[in-house]
Amino acid sequence: LPSLKISGAERSLMLLSGSEKIILYLCFKVALSKALGNPGFFVFDDPTLHLDLERKDLMVEFIRQLAEEYQVIITSNDPDIREGLAGAHLIETKREG
């Protein structure tokens, strides 16, 4: 497998942490969509799952920048996303019972 240069050091894709793989996957998803034509919108299902606070902040900033150009739909139970994307449209669902 290829390797990536992260902070000046070569890292095998097999040795990336789970959170690094999530971030890399979403970046590839966005890059591929842009390369294939204007996607119009992106859907992310719980993009901060398993991320530490520092990486959550990076993910929220990534989403915020993406939302300046595209529509972004996120499903999440993470209150950090809600706080980080203040002013975004919010749809809440609640179970009855």
Side-chain angles (χ1 to χ4, degrees):
L1 283 175
S3 62
L4 294 174
K5 191 172 271 193
I6 300 173
S7 300
E10 290 286 325
R11 300 266 315 271
S12 166
L13 293 178
M14 295 297 291
L15 300 177
L16 295 177
S17 70
S19 62
E20 288 171 326
K21 288 176 184 175
I22 290 169
I23 292 170
L24 185 62
Y25 165 74
L26 293 178
C27 289
F28 280 149
K29 181 177 179 176
V30 170
L32 181 61
S33 295
K34 286 183 175 186
L36 294 175
N38 187 352
F41 69 95
F42 291 94
V43 178
F44 298 127
D45 182 24
D46 228 345
T48 58
L49 187 65
H50 306 299
L51 298 183
D52 60 25
L53 188 56
E54 180 182 348
R55 289 201 170 99
K56 278 184 186 186
D57 290 343
L58 290 172
M59 180 62 72
V60 169
E61 181 58 30
F62 171 73
I63 292 168
R64 190 179 301 121
Q65 289 177 11
L66 192 62
E68 289 176 5
E69 190 174 345
Y70 303 99
Q71 292 181 356
V72 179
I73 299 167
I74 301 167
T75 61
S76 180
N77 292 315
D78 187 344
D80 292 330
I81 290 248
R82 182 178 297 170
E83 291 174 23
L85 299 174
H89 297 285
L90 175 67
I91 300 171
E92 291 186 90
T93 59
K94 294 182 182 180
R95 291 185 184 198
E96 291 186 35

